[in-house]
């Protein structure tokens, strides 16, 4: 599965396809992953670490997903940022 499919399969229930967060995700205090300020506030390692080990109500994924899948998801999260237009 590519990163987009993995995200659609495992993550959209809380984060939504666009990363803004569903009702369920927002109730659990999921951030808006597509927000530029949020993106700027996290290092790549922090994003990776949160997906691997979980964080508060965010489940851990190291039991369910392979390391390379988690890495591709961490890169995918970066693509949810607003696209800069020239
Ligand atoms: C059950 C709901 C739920 C699911 C499913 C879920 N998340 Fe989350 N996620 C959360 C919540 C809640 C937070 C906020 C954690 C916090 O900061 O308290 C979060 C935070 C995050 C963050 C930000 C972490 C940080 O360092 O601030 C990333 C990145 C993330 N999720 C990615 C994913 C990915 C990728 C998946 C799918 C593999 C996923 N999430 C699945 C609920 C979920």
């Amino acid at each position: 599965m590519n990163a987009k499919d993995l995200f659609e399969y495992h993550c959209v229930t809380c984060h939504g396809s666009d990363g803004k967060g569903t009702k369920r995700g927002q109730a659990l205090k999921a951030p808006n992953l597509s927000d530029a300020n949020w993106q700027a506030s996290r290092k790549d390692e922090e994003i990776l670490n949160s997906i691997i080990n979980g964080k508060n109500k965010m489940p851990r994924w190291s039991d369910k997903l392979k390391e390379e899948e988690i890495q591709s998801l961490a890169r995918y999260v970066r693509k949810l940022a607003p696209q800069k237009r020239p």
Side-chain angles (χ1 to χ4, degrees), residues 4-71:
K4 185 173 193 298
D5 290 343
L6 285 169
F7 195 84
E8 294 289 333
Y9 192 78
H10 296 289
C11 319
V12 295
T13 44
C14 292
H15 291 292
S17 301
D18 55 8
K20 288 194 167 75
T22 58
K23 277 212 172 85
R24 178 169 178 223
Q26 284 166 6
L28 298 171
K29 302 216 162 38
N32 177 357
L33 301 177
S34 72
D35 180 72
N37 291 325
W38 181 84
Q39 287 274 344
S41 72
R42 291 289 183 278
K43 297 200 181 83
D44 289 350
E45 306 87 80
E46 290 176 301
I47 290 180
L48 196 58
N49 189 52
S50 297
I51 303 172
I52 294 172
N53 297 314
K55 186 179 180 188
N56 301 317
K57 297 266 165 53
M58 158 84 173
R60 69 179 299 138
W61 292 96
S62 54
D63 315 333
K64 296 206 182 75
L65 299 173
K66 296 195 217 94
E67 195 185 321
E68 71 236 39
E69 292 175 321
I70 292 179
Q71 272 165 2

